[in-house]
């Protein structure tokens, strides 16, 4: 699997596969892919996370001890299914709060009636991940159960109690006026506040309860406090924005010192009729990721220097440095 093939797999995002081949079946509890069965596929030094879907145009079969993915009888890639630790390989990546008071129209989490993990439960999960000897990082994310301040406080508590593991810790929550200060003092290493889209009209329509300018200001402050190549943001592609809007958004984030993560949009049946999602094509993913790579290089930003959350994983996105090379 090369960058071109990975982009093609990402453009579809799902594959028909016998779930008996997946081993332990895992269901995501965070973001637009919440509630769906997914697995990590690795080939040729690249990693991609795919959903299991019997109706996909892609088919995966076991052949000679490998998993081979085909499209219209054409072989795309052969590789292995990679075991998750918690949510992704090599990381204890935990969603503390599987519900959300915000109602972003592309996200199923508010409609899934998820639960809230106690701090003690989160810490127990991290301890068990550590005991495997495979945990290279801890990553904490959360929806919002009652108030954003409460989620930040819970994340601060977890971070403070996890410094004893001596691995990098990343946090992705909805920001508050003092979340950067609190998380920095607790010992967090990297920060991710998600802009979701940089098309302001779309943002107003899809995430109207939230304040994009406030999030951008918090991201800029995070760069000042945590440093270069420590702050990132999910940026969804396929919500109805055009390429020029994406490129303008990339420029603005990079100018602030923030690394955008270009995430192909995922439709969910619980959001049918509320948002028009068009999964980006292979060509669009490659074009925009190449543009992102150029902007990052000019600004001296490098996705390979991140140690937590999405950028070292690369499963859901085409990595501008790890995948494009």
């Amino acid at each position: 699997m090369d960058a071109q093939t990975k982009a093609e797999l990402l453009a579809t995002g799902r594959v028909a596969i016998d779930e008996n081949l997946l081993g332990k079946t895992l269901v995501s509890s965070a973001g637009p892919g919440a509630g769906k069965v997914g697995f990590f596929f690795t080939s040729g030094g690249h990693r991609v996370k795919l959903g299991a879907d019997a109706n996909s145009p892609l088919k995966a079969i076991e052949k000679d001890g490998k998993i081979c993915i085909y499209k219209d009888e054409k072989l795309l890639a052969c590789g292995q299914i990679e075991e998750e630790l918690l949510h992704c390989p090599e990381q204890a990546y935990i969603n503390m709060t599987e519900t959300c008071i915000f109602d972003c129209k592309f996200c199923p989490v508010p409609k899934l009636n998820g639960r809230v993990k106690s701090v003690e439960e989160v810490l127990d999960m991290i301890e068990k991940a550590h005991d495997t000897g495979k945990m290279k990082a801890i990553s904490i994310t959360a929806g919002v159960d009652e108030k954003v301040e409460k989620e930040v406080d819970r994340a601060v508590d977890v971070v403070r109690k996890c410094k004893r593991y001596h691995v990098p810790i990343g946090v992705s929550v909805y920001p508050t006026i003092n979340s950067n200060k609190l998380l920095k003092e607790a010992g967090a290493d990297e920060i991710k506040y998600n802009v979701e889209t940089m098309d302001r009209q779309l943002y107003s329509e899809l995430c109207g309860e939230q304040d994009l300018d406030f999030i951008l200001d918090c991201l800029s402050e995070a760069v000042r406090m945590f440093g270069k190549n420590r702050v990132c943001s999910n940026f969804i592609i396929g919500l109805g924005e055009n390429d020029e809007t994406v490129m303008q958004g990339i420029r603005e984030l990079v100018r602030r010192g923030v690394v955008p993560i270009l995430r192909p949009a995922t439709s969910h049946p619980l959001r049918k009729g509320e948002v028009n999602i068009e999964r980006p094509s292979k060509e669009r993913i490659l074009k925009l990721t190449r543009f992102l790579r150029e902007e990052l290089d000019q600004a001296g930003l490098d996705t390979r220097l991140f140690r937590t959350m999405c950028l070292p994983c690369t499963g859901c996105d085409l990595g501008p440095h790890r995948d494009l090379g």
Side-chain angles (χ1 to χ4, degrees):
M1 177 167 64
D2 57 13
Q4 296 266 347
T5 303
K6 180 174 175 178
E8 186 166 1
L9 295 178
L10 283 170
T12 303
R14 51 198 170 85
V15 61
I17 186 171
D18 182 347
E19 291 191 14
N20 290 322
L21 296 175
L22 302 182
K24 182 181 177 182
T25 300
L26 297 166
V27 178
S28 177
S29 65
K36 295 183 177 181
V37 174
F39 65 97
F40 286 89
F41 174 76
T42 60
S43 172
H46 300 271
R47 171 190 290 153
V48 63
K49 187 174 185 180
L50 298 166
D53 182 351
N55 297 315
S56 171
L58 304 181
K59 310 292 181 184
I61 63 171
E62 186 176 27
K63 185 176 181 181
D64 299 327
K66 294 184 177 182
I67 300 297
C68 295
I69 299 178
Y70 292 82
K71 182 177 182 180
D72 300 327
E73 308 302 323
K74 175 187 175 184
L75 176 64
L76 296 181
C78 284
Q80 303 292 340
I81 291 175
E82 189 174 8
E83 182 181 357
E84 297 182 28
L85 184 55
L86 284 174
H87 185 65
C88 69
E90 301 180 332
Q91 294 189 52
Y93 201 157
I94 300 172
N95 181 15
M96 300 189 300
T97 307
E98 300 171 11
T99 186
C100 195
I101 61 172
F102 295 124
D103 191 30
C104 295
K105 303 305 180 186
F106 49 80
C107 182
V109 170
K111 296 181 177 291
L112 286 172
N113 299 314
R115 64 192 186 90
V116 178
K117 300 180 182 74
S118 67
V119 169
E120 291 71 25
E121 183 179 358
V122 172
L123 294 173
D124 182 61
M125 293 171 71
I126 292 170
E127 177 68 13
K128 289 177 179 176
H130 172 261
D131 288 345
T132 67
K134 299 177 181 179
M135 187 179 78
K136 295 183 179 180
I138 296 169
S139 298
I140 301 298
T141 188
V144 181
D145 179 38
E146 296 175 352
K147 297 193 302 181
V148 293
E149 291 82 5
K150 181 178 177 181
E151 301 299 341
V152 171
D153 289 344
R154 279 161 38 82
V156 165
D157 193 11
V158 171
V159 171
R160 187 179 293 118
K161 291 174 178 175
C162 286
K163 290 305 292 180
R164 65 188 181 92
Y165 293 111
H166 303 291
V167 297
I169 302 175
V171 178
S172 176
V173 290
Y174 190 87
T176 66
I177 57 172
N178 59 356
S179 57
N180 287 320
K181 179 177 182 293
L182 292 173
L183 289 166
K184 180 70 174 178
E185 290 175 349
D189 298 288
E190 296 175 357
I191 293 293
K192 178 154 73 80
Y193 300 141
N194 294 330
V195 296
E196 312 299 7
T197 180
M198 290 291 284
D199 183 308
R200 291 180 178 273
Q201 180 61 41
L202 279 174
Y203 192 93
S204 177
E205 295 171 2
L206 302 177
C207 306
E209 301 166 277
Q210 302 176 49
D211 186 341
L212 179 57
D213 287 319
F214 175 70
I215 293 171
L216 289 169
D217 289 344
C218 290
L219 283 165
S220 294
E221 180 187 64
V223 172
R224 294 192 294 270
M225 295 184 68
F226 287 84
K228 196 172 184 178
N229 293 308
R230 296 288 184 91
V231 181
C232 57
S233 182
N234 281 2
F235 186 153
I236 301 174
I237 308 170
L239 298 176
E241 74 294 325
N242 58 45
D243 286 355
E244 184 56 38
T245 301
V246 174
M247 291 187 283
Q248 289 175 357
I250 287 171
R251 290 189 192 100
E252 179 174 356
L253 288 167
V254 170
R255 177 180 58 79
R256 292 172 180 264
V258 178
V259 173
I261 301 169
L262 299 182
R263 176 66 46 87
T266 300
S267 61
H268 197 286
L270 290 177
R271 287 301 191 176
K272 188 175 181 180
E274 296 185 73
V275 59
N276 294 318
I277 286 179
E278 182 177 350
R279 188 91 174 174
S281 66
K282 163 188 170 180
E283 292 76 17
R284 190 177 190 215
I285 292 171
L286 286 164
K287 172 187 174 181
L288 293 175
T289 304
R290 286 170 179 148
F291 177 83
L292 172 59
R293 168 70 184 264
E294 292 172 1
E295 294 296 311
L296 292 173
D297 287 348
Q298 289 177 17
L301 296 172
D302 191 332
T303 59
R304 291 167 294 194
L305 299 179
F306 283 77
R307 299 176 294 166
T308 72
M309 300 183 285
C310 300
L311 286 168
C313 174
T314 72
C316 300
D317 321 286
L318 191 66
H321 293 105
R322 295 176 187 267
D323 289 318
L324 291 183

